[in-house]
Every structure is written in C-alpha cells, then in structure tokens.
C-alpha cells in the first residue's frame, strides 16, 4: 500500500513485549519485529520482566490476550 501523505506521529513506541507461553516458536513476536524492528522489543513473560528494565515513558498501554488469535489452548 502506498500512502499519499505522511501521517503525523503523535506517539513513539519505545518498548514492546509479546510472548506466547504455550509455543516454542514465537510467531507474533517474529511478525512484530519484521514489521516494526527489534529495537526495544522484548519476547519474555511479562510477569518476569523487572520494572527497572522498562524504559521511562509517558504512557503505558497493555492488553489482555487476543483469544481469537491466541495459540494458547486450555
């Protein structure tokens, strides 16, 4: 897709985390890195990430697992 006009940047992502606990191959994380780059991206269980390892930020956004797309099975 070709954009005719550059969209203004209101926010800059400085850190991201994506982890699927039930898979050996982290498909979502690999796709994130392919689309947005690996700088500031972490592929770890968020419960194990130390608070001091998360950069200083103005806004923190989190989301629950996307069950429709998640590969985690009960």
């Amino acid at each position: 897709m070709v954009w005719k006009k550059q969209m203004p940047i209101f926010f800059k992502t400085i850190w991201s985390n994506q982890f699927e606990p039930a898979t050996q191959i982290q498909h979502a994380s690999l796709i994130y890195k392919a689309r947005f780059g690996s700088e500031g991206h972490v592929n770890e269980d968020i419960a194990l990430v130390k608070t001091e390892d998360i950069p200083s930020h103005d806004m923190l956004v989190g989301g629950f697992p996307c069950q429709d797309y998640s590969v985690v099975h009960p």
Side-chain angles (χ1 to χ4, degrees):
M1 176 181 280
V2 177
W3 292 96
K4 292 183 180 180
K5 181 179 177 185
Q6 180 68 29
M7 297 298 293
I9 298 173
F10 296 104
F11 300 99
K12 178 182 178 190
T13 302
I14 59 170
W15 190 84
S16 61
N17 179 280
Q18 169 59 42
F19 183 71
E20 288 284 345
T23 65
Q24 290 182 341
I25 300 173
Q26 299 288 310
H27 296 288
S29 184
L30 292 171
I31 290 171
Y32 182 93
K33 290 192 293 187
R35 299 258 192 248
F36 304 108
S38 60
E39 183 179 348
H41 180 71
V42 176
N43 181 228
E44 294 181 33
D45 183 341
I46 193 66
L48 303 177
V49 175
K50 295 178 182 175
T51 304
E52 57 267 18
D53 291 340
I54 300 173
S56 178
H57 51 275
D58 293 325
M59 180 188 303
L60 177 66
V61 179
F64 51 87
C66 299
Q67 297 304 319
D68 293 342
Y69 303 105
S70 180
V71 295
V72 177
H73 300 283

